[in-house]
Amino acid sequence: MSQFKFRSQPAWAREMARLMLEDPQATALLSAADGLIPIPLATSRLLDRGYNQAAELAKSLGRTAGRPVFPGALSRRETRREQHWLTQEERAAHAREAFEVSPRWGGHLRNRHWVLVDDVMTTGATLRAAALHLRAAGAASVSALVFARTPPPQTTEDAAPRMDME
């Protein structure tokens, strides 16, 4: 995972997508979706990394599942704080302010089912915030599909591969 995210090896997305699609729930979720929307990176992070790992993963999933990918539907505002250092409450507040729906996509999002794609879910704050913005733009429903989940704070439950945002 760290090679994919931090070591400039976006080709891992193909293998990660293949593994994700071995899960019948993920396959069913993608089959029911109108399209995939990757969680965007802030411009500064995108320039540092050279690619958006969530977008690479979404492209691989979309190709295999025959679903369109809309990387420009959401954008991420520049922030000065890195989420991995924040508490769960701080992450939620930070994430709510971090996203916006691209004005040119607003009408296209209405009355459709979208799947947000990200590589890792920690507290779910990022996915919830992005889903709220999509719902506010008129999306009928929003689900999420992630490759990995860190253990939630104060629990040792097994990771869930997807999370409905309805």
Side-chain angles (χ1 to χ4, degrees):
M1 175 64 97
S2 67
Q3 290 177 344
F4 174 57
K5 191 165 183 165
F6 301 115
R7 299 242 163 70
S8 298
Q9 296 184 19
W12 278 101
R14 287 187 301 276
E15 182 62 16
M16 292 166 70
R18 186 191 65 73
L19 290 170
M20 291 170 78
L21 291 170
E22 287 180 1
D23 180 343
Q25 286 183 320
T27 303
L29 179 68
L30 292 172
S31 295
D34 290 299
L36 310 176
I37 299 175
I39 293 294
L41 288 177
T43 302
S44 61
R45 180 64 55 92
L46 183 60
L47 291 172
D48 285 346
R49 193 168 292 156
Y51 62 97
N52 176 349
Q53 72 280 357
E56 295 300 318
L57 187 54
K59 285 186 234 174
S60 290
L61 286 166
R63 263 193 304 272
T64 305
R67 290 289 174 249
V69 179
F70 301 94
L74 280 176
S75 61
R76 190 172 203 138
R77 296 181 182 110
E78 288 293 331
T79 60
R80 295 176 189 218
R81 301 171 80 187
E82 293 185 30
Q83 290 242 117
H84 62 268
W85 298 112
L86 303 178
T87 66
Q88 186 170 1
E89 293 79 23
E90 290 170 330
R91 278 176 181 256
H94 181 261
R96 281 191 299 273
E97 298 174 9
F99 299 104
E100 62 187 352
V101 172
S102 173
R104 70 176 233 236
W105 285 96
H108 188 67
L109 300 173
R110 285 189 181 85
N111 302 317
R112 294 195 167 109
H113 174 212
W114 300 102
V115 174
L116 288 167
V117 177
D118 207 356
D119 58 336
V120 178
M121 183 174 101
T122 302
T123 65
T126 296
L127 294 166
R128 277 187 206 87
L132 286 172
H133 284 278
L134 293 173
R135 292 296 304 258
S141 64
V142 180
S143 300
L145 189 60
V146 299
F147 179 75
R149 166 117 196 240
T150 63
Q154 302 168 336
T155 184
T156 57
E157 292 178 21
D158 290 336
R162 71 178 191 93
M163 177 171 64
D164 288 328
M165 303 286 171
E166 298 184 63

